[in-house]
Amino acid sequence: MMGSGGLVVMDEKTCMVDVARYFVDFLKDESCGQCNPCREGLKQMLAILTGICEGRGKDGDIELLEELGTMMQKFSLCGLGTSAPNPVLTNMLYFREEYEAHLEGICPAKSCEALINYHITDECIGCTICAQKCPVDAID
C-alpha cells in the first residue's frame, strides 16, 4: 500500500527504501502529534530509513522497522497512525532484498548517493574515454 486510490509506477531505477523514506517523511508532517505511537514511531522510522539510505544502516534495522510498524498499527489512536506504517511494511514485504542490499552498502537502483562507489578496474587500459564522458568531471 503505497498510496490511496492512485497508481504509482516505478522502474528498476527507483530505490524502494527511499520511496518508503519519502512516504514516512510526508506522514510525519501529517501527524497531529496527539498520540505517542504515531508521533514517535514516525520519527524513529524516518531516522532509520534515512540512515539506511545514507549508508549508516546496521543489522537489526529491518526488524526494528517491522516492530515499530506493528506497534503503531496496534496502539495508535486514529486512522492515520494505524495506517502510517503500511507503506513501509508493504514495501519491506515485497522488496526486502533491497533493504538487505542497503545494509551491505549497495543500492540496487543506484540512486542513494552515499552507497555509490566508483573504482578503476583491472580492465582499464588508460584510454581516458571515461574521463571525457564523466558528467561531473570526477575523473582526473
Side-chain angles (χ1 to χ4, degrees):
M1 178 189 283
M2 299 297 271
S4 177
L7 181 66
V8 180
V9 179
M10 299 174 210
D11 63 11
E12 65 278 351
K13 295 177 186 170
T14 304
C15 175
M16 297 311 291
V17 180
D18 193 46
V19 167
R21 187 206 54 76
Y22 168 82
F23 276 100
V24 171
D25 190 35
F26 171 78
L27 291 167
K28 177 185 64 74
D29 294 334
E30 295 299 308
S31 173
C32 71
Q34 293 291 321
C35 76
N36 198 38
C38 179
R39 181 184 66 243
E40 297 303 319
L42 286 170
K43 284 181 189 175
Q44 291 302 313
M45 278 187 147
L46 181 59
I48 294 166
L49 289 166
T50 300
I52 292 172
C53 288
E54 291 178 353
R56 295 181 281 109
K58 55 190 175 299
D59 289 340
D61 279 351
I62 296 171
E63 293 77 16
L64 184 55
L65 284 169
E66 290 172 329
E67 186 178 351
L68 276 168
T70 302
M71 292 299 154
M72 290 172 63
Q73 287 175 327
K74 286 182 181 177
F75 299 113
S76 292
L77 299 177
C78 73
L80 178 85
T82 58
S83 64
N86 289 352
V88 177
L89 296 175
T90 306
N91 190 322
M92 287 195 303
L93 177 66
Y94 294 105
F95 301 100
R96 188 179 191 96
E97 67 280 354
E98 289 202 28
Y99 287 80
E100 292 167 351
H102 276 72
L103 295 181
E104 295 172 10
I106 301 164
C107 176
K110 296 178 178 52
S111 66
C112 294
E113 290 183 22
L115 301 178
I116 298 174
N117 295 308
Y118 298 98
H119 59 277
I120 298 171
T121 67
D122 292 335
E123 297 156 8
C124 177
I125 59 171
C127 68
T128 72
I129 290 175
C130 58
Q132 295 167 23
K133 295 188 179 209
C134 181
V136 292
D137 294 325
I139 305 168
D140 291 330

